[in-house]
Amino acid sequence: SQQGEEDPQALSIQEGENATMNCSYKTSINNLQWYRQNSGRGLVHLILIRSNEREKHSGRLRVTLDTSKKSSSLLITASRAADTASYFCATDATYGNKLVFGAGTILRVKS
Amino acid sequence: DVKVTQSSRYLVKRTGEKVFLECVQDMDHENMFWYRQDPGLGLRLIYFSYDVKMKEKGDIPEGYSVSREKKERFSLILESASTNQTSMYLCASSSPSGFYNEQFFGPGTRLTVL
């Protein structure tokens, strides 16, 4: 059961530009998380936004959550070549244990 | 520095072999997870465990089993490997802390079944 779906599937931008990725989900959630995966490696947690929050910032990352539309977006500002990776959203609907991951967005930042 | 380690980065096995993938975490986490990752499908949960000797099926448990004899170690077993189990396998752990349940991932094991 795939809860989150990312859009677009792939994104290619120039260094310095902003990158926006979107995530839609189907059921009510407790929180939504974003992860990054560098090629062939494990996932790294980036940011978590709770269901009662609308926006959250962490460095160059900005996450928004619209529970009425069941959607979230991840904005990376002033992108760098090192931001090249796959980005996944994950939703928690069960209070604590399982997360459900989407298929991911592949971001390529060209220098 | 928190750490999740997996026994192998790359593994090549033959059809019908029994395969063991090991995962160890040093964060004293109660929860541990095994996922497989395939292109275009994202991460799919195979099994998870919320305590020693406890296990629950995820979304795709067929063809797999797990073992958790110690809190820090969670093993994934392919009883008789098949070519459709060629995939990237990712282990993760987390603490059941209510709202904040980020998962920590190992580096992954890329398994090829010939």
Side-chain angles (χ1 to χ4, degrees):
Chain A
S1 58
Q2 200 156 306
Q3 166 85 305
E5 293 184 8
E6 287 91 342
D7 167 52
Q9 289 185 325
L11 182 59
S12 184
I13 59 174
Q14 290 293 135
E15 208 166 24
E17 293 180 340
N18 294 342
T20 299
M21 288 158 271
N22 303 298
C23 171
S24 60
Y25 57 92
K26 298 187 176 74
T27 64
S28 296
I29 60 170
N30 303 310
N31 67 54
L32 185 144
Q33 305 178 29
W34 286 90
Y35 289 78
R36 183 188 74 226
Q37 183 182 36
N38 290 94
S39 180
R41 309 292 297 186
L43 277 70
V44 175
H45 182 263
L46 293 176
I47 194 166
L48 180 153
I49 186 164
R50 290 168 55 169
S51 59
N52 62 351
E53 297 176 312
R54 291 296 165 257
E55 188 171 311
K56 205 160 182 183
H57 296 254
S58 177
R60 294 184 296 114
L61 304 181
R62 173 179 166 244
V63 170
T64 61
L65 179 64
D66 187 335
T67 52
S68 67
K69 295 181 179 177
K70 292 187 170 58
S71 68
S72 173
S73 68
L74 171 68
L75 169 68
I76 304 174
T77 60
S79 63
R80 306 166 181 166
D83 295 326
T84 294
S86 294
Y87 292 82
F88 296 87
C89 68
T91 51
D92 165 29
T94 58
Y95 263 112
N97 286 335
K98 293 194 297 181
L99 297 178
V100 179
F101 287 82
T105 292
I106 300 170
L107 173 65
R108 181 181 170 215
V109 181
K110 295 177 283 188
S111 56
Chain B
D1 197 17
V2 297
K3 215 165 187 180
V4 179
T5 57
Q6 295 183 228
S7 49
S8 306
R9 288 299 316 278
Y10 300 95
L11 208 52
V12 179
K13 294 292 181 181
R14 297 218 172 265
T15 301
E17 280 193 77
K18 191 168 186 175
V19 181
F20 292 87
L21 302 182
E22 304 282 340
C23 175
V24 178
Q25 51 96 2
D26 66 359
M27 294 164 282
D28 201 36
H29 282 165
E30 287 83 358
N31 297 332
M32 295 188 75
F33 308 84
W34 275 107
Y35 297 91
R36 66 175 281 175
Q37 183 179 22
D38 300 289
L41 296 177
L43 275 71
R44 293 180 291 168
L45 183 64
I46 304 171
Y47 267 97
F48 71 100
S49 168
Y50 51 88
D51 202 352
V52 175
K53 297 193 187 294
M54 306 300 286
K55 61 185 180 186
E56 285 200 26
K57 293 179 180 179
D59 299 318
I60 51 165
E62 297 78 18
Y64 304 93
S65 63
V66 290
S67 172
R68 191 156 181 212
E69 296 296 318
K70 293 184 178 181
K71 190 175 186 180
E72 68 271 17
R73 188 179 297 268
F74 192 34
S75 303
L76 179 70
I77 303 151
L78 287 66
E79 295 290 342
S80 177
S82 63
T83 55
N84 63 12
Q85 292 177 310
T86 291
S87 188
M88 169 73 105
Y89 289 88
L90 292 164
C91 174
S93 71
S94 74
S95 178
S97 56
F99 284 116
Y100 299 102
N101 57 347
E102 66 174 288
Q103 293 187 7
F104 295 85
F105 281 81
T109 295
R110 189 165 293 280
L111 172 67
T112 302
V113 182
L114 301 175

